[in-house]
Amino acid sequence: LDDVGQYSRLCHALYWASTAQRFQVLQTPMGLQRMESRGMMTKSQLKVLQSLDVSDDQLKLAPLEWMLIRPIQAMDQGIMAGDTATKGMCLKQMGKLRDSYMAIPNKLAGRMPLAYTHFVQILVDTFVLLTPIALYAELGTYSVFAVGIITLFYTGLLNLAKIFLDPLNNDNFCE
């Protein structure tokens, strides 16, 4: 099971390297060698990953396959108890895991339209600019503090909305 845990961590790191731009360096030969030097994979696993004839964003599938093969080998060798039903359940769960991994890019692609975000930006900016005029008659000099709090709240809310628009910051909306 230690091997499966190691494969799982490696698969997870390679998955996010293929999804988020900030982690893409992990898919390069130098990044893979660095992961090997830090103990995330063995030298033989590094050689296998480097010898694969697949695109960089498909490297994550190799550790996923290793995660499936290792328990089945353990069952065949008698190290782990299991029968045909257990192997079938293991295969089914690995399929669900792969489906979950493959569904994340679909959820990232199905985000709100950019025009909506621009519209919200204009609304928030207009609200924040007109608030001092509207509050001065009611609050007088205290409107300065109220405007500061309202500005902080609404611009923070807008930044949060931009983060929801691009949670992995691949399009640099939050900069």
Short mmCIF file of all heavy atoms in Angstrom, two decimals, residues 15-16 18-21 101-112 163-171 173:
data_model
loop_
_atom_site.label_atom_id
_atom_site.label_comp_id
_atom_site.label_asym_id
_atom_site.label_seq_id
_atom_site.Cartn_x
_atom_site.Cartn_y
_atom_site.Cartn_z
N TYR A 15 -0.88 15.58 -12.29
CA TYR A 15 -2.19 16.06 -12.76
C TYR A 15 -2.26 17.58 -12.67
O TYR A 15 -2.65 18.25 -13.62
CB TYR A 15 -3.33 15.44 -11.95
CG TYR A 15 -4.64 16.02 -12.38
CD1 TYR A 15 -5.25 15.59 -13.55
CD2 TYR A 15 -5.23 17.06 -11.69
CE1 TYR A 15 -6.42 16.16 -13.99
CE2 TYR A 15 -6.40 17.63 -12.12
CZ TYR A 15 -6.99 17.17 -13.27
OH TYR A 15 -8.14 17.75 -13.71
N TRP A 16 -1.91 18.13 -11.51
CA TRP A 16 -2.00 19.59 -11.37
C TRP A 16 -0.94 20.29 -12.20
O TRP A 16 -1.14 21.44 -12.61
CB TRP A 16 -1.94 19.99 -9.90
CG TRP A 16 -3.21 19.61 -9.22
CD1 TRP A 16 -3.38 18.63 -8.30
CD2 TRP A 16 -4.51 20.17 -9.47
NE1 TRP A 16 -4.71 18.54 -7.95
CE2 TRP A 16 -5.42 19.47 -8.66
CE3 TRP A 16 -4.99 21.16 -10.30
CZ2 TRP A 16 -6.78 19.76 -8.64
CZ3 TRP A 16 -6.35 21.45 -10.29
CH2 TRP A 16 -7.22 20.76 -9.47
N SER A 18 -0.34 19.40 -15.18
CA SER A 18 -0.95 19.46 -16.52
C SER A 18 -2.15 20.41 -16.56
O SER A 18 -2.59 20.80 -17.63
CB SER A 18 -1.39 18.07 -16.98
OG SER A 18 -2.49 17.61 -16.22
N THR A 19 -2.67 20.80 -15.40
CA THR A 19 -3.87 21.62 -15.35
C THR A 19 -3.56 23.09 -15.06
O THR A 19 -4.12 23.97 -15.70
CB THR A 19 -4.84 21.09 -14.27
OG1 THR A 19 -5.10 19.70 -14.56
CG2 THR A 19 -6.15 21.83 -14.29
N ALA A 20 -2.69 23.37 -14.10
CA ALA A 20 -2.38 24.74 -13.70
C ALA A 20 -1.06 25.18 -14.33
O ALA A 20 -0.07 24.45 -14.26
CB ALA A 20 -2.29 24.83 -12.19
N GLN A 21 -1.06 26.35 -14.93
CA GLN A 21 0.14 26.85 -15.60
C GLN A 21 1.31 27.03 -14.64
O GLN A 21 2.46 26.84 -15.02
CB GLN A 21 -0.16 28.17 -16.30
CG GLN A 21 -0.99 28.02 -17.53
CD GLN A 21 -1.27 29.36 -18.20
OE1 GLN A 21 -0.92 30.42 -17.68
NE2 GLN A 21 -1.91 29.31 -19.35
N TYR A 101 -10.74 12.84 -12.19
CA TYR A 101 -9.63 13.65 -12.69
C TYR A 101 -9.99 14.30 -14.02
O TYR A 101 -9.70 15.47 -14.26
CB TYR A 101 -8.37 12.80 -12.89
CG TYR A 101 -7.48 12.69 -11.69
CD1 TYR A 101 -6.94 11.48 -11.31
CD2 TYR A 101 -7.13 13.80 -10.94
CE1 TYR A 101 -6.09 11.36 -10.22
CE2 TYR A 101 -6.29 13.71 -9.85
CZ TYR A 101 -5.78 12.49 -9.50
OH TYR A 101 -4.93 12.39 -8.42
N MET A 102 -10.62 13.55 -14.91
CA MET A 102 -10.92 14.06 -16.24
C MET A 102 -12.09 15.05 -16.24
O MET A 102 -12.26 15.80 -17.19
CB MET A 102 -11.22 12.92 -17.20
CG MET A 102 -10.05 11.97 -17.41
SD MET A 102 -8.57 12.84 -17.92
CE MET A 102 -7.32 11.95 -17.03
N ALA A 103 -12.89 15.07 -15.18
CA ALA A 103 -14.03 15.99 -15.11
C ALA A 103 -13.61 17.39 -14.67
O ALA A 103 -14.33 18.35 -14.93
CB ALA A 103 -15.08 15.44 -14.15
N ILE A 104 -12.48 17.52 -14.03
CA ILE A 104 -12.06 18.83 -13.52
C ILE A 104 -11.84 19.84 -14.65
O ILE A 104 -12.32 20.97 -14.55
CB ILE A 104 -10.82 18.70 -12.61
CG1 ILE A 104 -11.21 17.96 -11.34
CG2 ILE A 104 -10.23 20.06 -12.28
CD1 ILE A 104 -10.07 17.62 -10.42
N PRO A 105 -11.15 19.50 -15.75
CA PRO A 105 -11.01 20.50 -16.83
C PRO A 105 -12.35 20.92 -17.43
O PRO A 105 -12.51 22.07 -17.83
CB PRO A 105 -10.15 19.77 -17.88
CG PRO A 105 -9.40 18.76 -17.12
CD PRO A 105 -10.32 18.33 -16.01
N ASN A 106 -13.32 20.02 -17.46
CA ASN A 106 -14.64 20.39 -17.96
C ASN A 106 -15.29 21.43 -17.06
O ASN A 106 -15.95 22.36 -17.53
CB ASN A 106 -15.55 19.17 -18.07
CG ASN A 106 -15.07 18.20 -19.12
OD1 ASN A 106 -14.31 18.56 -20.01
ND2 ASN A 106 -15.49 16.96 -19.00
N LYS A 107 -15.12 21.27 -15.76
CA LYS A 107 -15.69 22.24 -14.83
C LYS A 107 -14.97 23.58 -14.93
O LYS A 107 -15.58 24.63 -14.79
CB LYS A 107 -15.62 21.70 -13.40
CG LYS A 107 -16.57 20.55 -13.18
CD LYS A 107 -16.52 20.02 -11.78
CE LYS A 107 -17.48 18.85 -11.67
NZ LYS A 107 -17.53 18.30 -10.33
N LEU A 108 -13.67 23.54 -15.18
CA LEU A 108 -12.92 24.79 -15.34
C LEU A 108 -13.31 25.51 -16.64
O LEU A 108 -13.34 26.73 -16.69
CB LEU A 108 -11.41 24.52 -15.34
CG LEU A 108 -10.82 24.10 -14.00
CD1 LEU A 108 -9.37 23.70 -14.18
CD2 LEU A 108 -10.95 25.20 -12.98
N ALA A 109 -13.60 24.74 -17.67
CA ALA A 109 -13.97 25.34 -18.96
C ALA A 109 -15.39 25.89 -18.93
O ALA A 109 -15.71 26.80 -19.69
CB ALA A 109 -13.83 24.31 -20.07
N GLY A 110 -16.24 25.38 -18.08
CA GLY A 110 -17.64 25.81 -18.02
C GLY A 110 -17.86 26.97 -17.08
O GLY A 110 -18.80 26.96 -16.31
N ARG A 111 -17.02 27.96 -17.14
CA ARG A 111 -17.15 29.09 -16.23
C ARG A 111 -18.03 30.18 -16.83
O ARG A 111 -18.45 30.09 -17.97
CB ARG A 111 -15.78 29.63 -15.88
CG ARG A 111 -15.00 30.11 -17.08
CD ARG A 111 -13.61 30.47 -16.70
NE ARG A 111 -12.97 31.12 -17.83
CZ ARG A 111 -11.69 31.25 -17.96
NH1 ARG A 111 -10.91 30.77 -17.04
NH2 ARG A 111 -11.18 31.86 -19.00
N MET A 112 -18.25 31.22 -16.05
CA MET A 112 -19.13 32.31 -16.50
C MET A 112 -18.48 33.08 -17.64
O MET A 112 -17.26 33.14 -17.75
CB MET A 112 -19.45 33.22 -15.33
CG MET A 112 -18.29 34.07 -14.85
SD MET A 112 -18.73 35.13 -13.49
CE MET A 112 -18.28 34.12 -12.13
N ILE A 163 -11.47 35.44 -8.79
CA ILE A 163 -10.82 34.17 -8.44
C ILE A 163 -11.73 33.00 -8.80
O ILE A 163 -11.27 31.97 -9.30
CB ILE A 163 -10.45 34.15 -6.94
CG1 ILE A 163 -9.32 35.12 -6.68
CG2 ILE A 163 -10.07 32.75 -6.49
CD1 ILE A 163 -9.01 35.35 -5.22
N PHE A 164 -13.04 33.15 -8.59
CA PHE A 164 -13.98 32.11 -8.98
C PHE A 164 -14.03 31.95 -10.50
O PHE A 164 -14.28 30.86 -11.00
CB PHE A 164 -15.38 32.39 -8.45
CG PHE A 164 -15.53 32.16 -6.98
CD1 PHE A 164 -16.42 32.92 -6.24
CD2 PHE A 164 -14.79 31.20 -6.32
CE1 PHE A 164 -16.57 32.71 -4.88
CE2 PHE A 164 -14.93 30.99 -4.97
CZ PHE A 164 -15.81 31.74 -4.25
N LEU A 165 -13.80 33.04 -11.23
CA LEU A 165 -13.80 32.98 -12.68
C LEU A 165 -12.65 32.12 -13.19
O LEU A 165 -12.82 31.32 -14.10
CB LEU A 165 -13.69 34.39 -13.28
CG LEU A 165 -13.55 34.48 -14.78
CD1 LEU A 165 -14.83 34.01 -15.45
CD2 LEU A 165 -13.22 35.89 -15.21
N ASP A 166 -11.49 32.26 -12.58
CA ASP A 166 -10.30 31.51 -13.00
C ASP A 166 -9.58 31.00 -11.75
O ASP A 166 -8.61 31.61 -11.30
CB ASP A 166 -9.38 32.40 -13.83
CG ASP A 166 -8.19 31.65 -14.39
OD1 ASP A 166 -8.29 30.43 -14.58
OD2 ASP A 166 -7.16 32.29 -14.64
N PRO A 167 -10.05 29.89 -11.16
CA PRO A 167 -9.50 29.45 -9.87
C PRO A 167 -8.02 29.06 -9.91
O PRO A 167 -7.34 29.14 -8.89
CB PRO A 167 -10.37 28.26 -9.49
CG PRO A 167 -11.08 27.85 -10.71
CD PRO A 167 -11.11 29.03 -11.63
N LEU A 168 -7.51 28.66 -11.05
CA LEU A 168 -6.10 28.27 -11.13
C LEU A 168 -5.22 29.42 -11.61
O LEU A 168 -4.02 29.26 -11.77
CB LEU A 168 -5.94 27.07 -12.06
CG LEU A 168 -6.65 25.81 -11.60
CD1 LEU A 168 -6.47 24.70 -12.61
CD2 LEU A 168 -6.16 25.37 -10.23
N ASN A 169 -5.83 30.57 -11.86
CA ASN A 169 -5.13 31.77 -12.31
C ASN A 169 -4.34 31.53 -13.60
O ASN A 169 -3.24 32.04 -13.77
CB ASN A 169 -4.23 32.34 -11.22
CG ASN A 169 -3.89 33.79 -11.45
OD1 ASN A 169 -4.60 34.50 -12.16
ND2 ASN A 169 -2.80 34.25 -10.88
N ASN A 170 -4.89 30.75 -14.52
CA ASN A 170 -4.24 30.50 -15.78
C ASN A 170 -4.35 31.68 -16.74
O ASN A 170 -3.52 31.84 -17.63
CB ASN A 170 -4.82 29.25 -16.47
CG ASN A 170 -4.38 27.99 -15.79
OD1 ASN A 170 -3.37 27.95 -15.10
ND2 ASN A 170 -5.14 26.93 -15.95
N ASP A 171 -5.39 32.53 -16.58
CA ASP A 171 -5.58 33.67 -17.46
C ASP A 171 -5.15 34.99 -16.80
O ASP A 171 -5.36 36.05 -17.39
CB ASP A 171 -7.05 33.78 -17.88
CG ASP A 171 -7.48 32.59 -18.74
OD1 ASP A 171 -6.61 32.03 -19.43
OD2 ASP A 171 -8.66 32.23 -18.69
N PHE A 173 -6.35 36.85 -14.34
CA PHE A 173 -7.39 37.84 -14.07
C PHE A 173 -7.13 38.55 -12.74
O PHE A 173 -7.56 39.66 -12.54
CB PHE A 173 -8.77 37.18 -14.00
CG PHE A 173 -9.31 36.78 -15.33
CD1 PHE A 173 -9.74 35.49 -15.55
CD2 PHE A 173 -9.38 37.69 -16.37
CE1 PHE A 173 -10.23 35.12 -16.78
CE2 PHE A 173 -9.88 37.32 -17.60
CZ PHE A 173 -10.30 36.03 -17.81
#
